[in-house]
Amino acid sequence: MHGDSKPSLPRRGPAPDVERMTNAELARMVEAEHPYRGRALFELCDRLANDEDAVTKVGMLTRLTSLRRARLFDRVSLAWSAIIALLAAETAGSRDEAYAAFRALDPVEQADMLDYLEVTAIEEAHPRIA
């Protein structure tokens, strides 16, 4: 072996066609920490306004330690992004699930998220997702 050769990194493979996957398949990808778990979570989030099963699954997924630790950018975790998506769907079920997911965060993270959303209570947050 040459001194300057580096082992190649494993490849992710082709991205799964998440639009064709069921909610259960998407949730399993997220739970299994699949390399495309973010894509799977965002697909579930795209379904929130019209799919109560997606609301339930996204709410459940926000409790995963792996999503709470995975940062999208700055202080925003995958769990926060899911909570924000639940709020933005603006259905009674999605908002209730968002409130429960928010209450499941530790108090320091709750305060940080309220600061990020620029509100004093989670019920005041009405984010829009473009």
Side-chain angles (χ1 to χ4, degrees), residues 16-34 36-48 51 53-54 57-58 60-61 64 67:
D17 189 3
V18 294
E19 295 85 12
R20 293 179 177 225
M21 296 174 78
T22 67
N23 292 348
E25 290 170 325
L26 293 167
R28 278 194 300 274
M29 276 181 69
V30 176
E31 291 170 330
E33 298 184 31
H34 187 279
Y36 286 101
R37 70 183 173 175
R39 182 175 274 189
L41 180 64
F42 296 143
E43 176 60 29
L44 275 171
C45 289
D46 286 347
R47 300 175 185 187
L48 292 173
D51 187 339
D53 179 61
K57 285 185 173 37
V58 169
M60 172 198 68
L61 293 169
L64 293 175
L67 290 191

